[in-house]
Amino acid sequence: MGLRLLGTPSKDGGCPSLYEIEETGEIVAQGERLADPDHLAQLRDVKESEGFVVLPRELLVRFAPREAHVPDLIPFEEASHLFSEFEHTAWRLETQRGYASDQEIPEWQRFLRGDYVGCFDPTSPWDANIRRQTNEGKRFERVRIVDDPPTQGQLFLLASGLGNVEAGEDIRNLYRADARRLRLPDYDFWLFDSRVIMKFDFDDEGTCLGVRLIEDPTEVLGACQVRDLAWHHAVPTTRFQEQVRSRG
């Protein structure tokens, strides 16, 4: 079963933390064991298999789920209007090792032949929208999580990302080991105007099954914290490419 980090107030990667078991929605708490004998003596109906941890109130206030409702999964196309309607910032966390959609475009075959370097394409609706939005003073930003060594899909994104950067998007990269140390989430999402989350669902082949739009203030706050942490540690694309080549 998958375990998703809901949040932690720790700045050094330690406990306490809250997790969600994705298949059941049940919550797992990580914290220091309750050791005070007076407190232990006051616990009631304790089973032999049970344990107890001490959690700061801040952890529950900030990260405990507020509602059982899960937003409906909708086609990506039904939410694509957000990319032109946002007012200030669009920020993305990418965590997958590859995306099926990348392998369906002509650039993928050129990449496999070794003759593809991304560049701004004014005929591309995506590139044109980035250029238009950034010319209006808005920000398109993205952090990509990369394995070491990078997967084939991640190498393609490093190459194609140069075109996004030329269009006006600021793309940075972070090795997966660093992302785990920072306890970043392992799912993809866009964050629009620090107000709306577009969370992706992917299958095991990297095919997008749809997205969920989330406006719950607690989850949005958590996404903002992820953004600030990832952005602080991530490396701009051109410098990261040099790091990859030096390791290769």
Side-chain angles (χ1 to χ4, degrees), residues 20-240:
E20 178 184 15
I21 300 176
E22 293 184 321
E23 290 79 0
T24 65
E26 294 174 300
I27 304 302
V28 177
Q30 175 188 356
E32 295 290 338
R33 289 189 182 92
L34 177 63
D36 188 303
D38 291 335
H39 292 162
L40 289 169
Q42 296 175 57
L43 297 170
R44 299 181 180 181
D45 303 320
V46 179
K47 297 178 182 178
E48 186 175 343
S49 61
E50 292 177 333
F52 302 90
V53 297
V54 179
L55 303 175
R57 183 178 296 273
E58 176 193 12
L59 178 69
L60 300 178
V61 170
R62 291 173 59 184
F63 302 112
R66 293 295 187 274
E67 55 184 33
H69 170 70
V70 177
D72 291 337
L73 188 68
I74 63 174
F76 172 80
E77 292 74 18
E78 290 188 16
S80 61
H81 60 91
L82 291 170
F83 293 100
S84 58
E85 295 177 0
F86 74 95
E87 297 180 353
H88 309 291
T89 59
W91 189 89
R92 169 78 181 265
L93 179 69
E94 284 187 3
T95 67
Q96 304 296 303
R97 290 176 169 83
Y99 296 88
S101 58
D102 289 337
Q103 301 182 31
E104 299 171 356
I105 59 178
E107 289 82 357
W108 178 259
Q109 294 302 322
R110 291 176 54 197
F111 165 74
L112 295 180
R113 295 194 300 268
D115 62 356
Y116 173 67
V117 177
C119 61
F120 171 65
D121 179 3
T123 67
S124 161
W126 181 261
D127 285 4
N129 183 58
I130 292 175
R131 178 63 60 85
R132 181 168 56 253
Q133 302 299 331
T134 54
N135 281 346
E136 293 178 5
K138 304 177 187 180
R139 300 203 313 270
F140 262 100
E141 299 170 338
R142 184 186 312 238
V143 169
R144 285 174 167 156
I145 307 303
V146 182
D147 290 274
D148 187 13
T151 66
Q152 188 177 55
Q154 291 165 351
L155 289 173
F156 173 78
L157 290 173
L158 282 172
S160 63
L162 296 175
N164 296 58
V165 171
E166 187 179 353
E169 186 175 356
D170 191 347
I171 300 179
R172 303 186 184 186
N173 303 267
L174 190 66
Y175 279 114
R176 192 172 301 278
D178 294 322
R180 286 173 174 163
R181 176 179 56 82
L182 296 169
R183 310 186 83 165
L184 297 182
D186 58 358
Y187 54 86
D188 285 36
F189 68 87
W190 279 97
L191 176 63
F192 297 96
D193 293 330
S194 301
R195 186 175 58 84
V196 179
I197 301 169
M198 178 194 291
K199 183 180 177 182
F200 288 82
D201 275 20
F202 289 97
D203 65 15
D204 293 339
E205 304 301 319
T207 299
C208 179
L209 305 176
V211 299
R212 303 180 194 274
L213 298 184
I214 302 169
E215 297 185 56
D216 175 75
T218 301
E219 294 202 46
V220 170
L221 173 60
C224 291
Q225 293 170 334
V226 167
R227 175 197 60 200
D228 294 347
L229 183 61
W231 197 249
H232 176 75
H233 290 275
V235 178
T237 291
T238 52
R239 184 149 57 92
F240 190 81

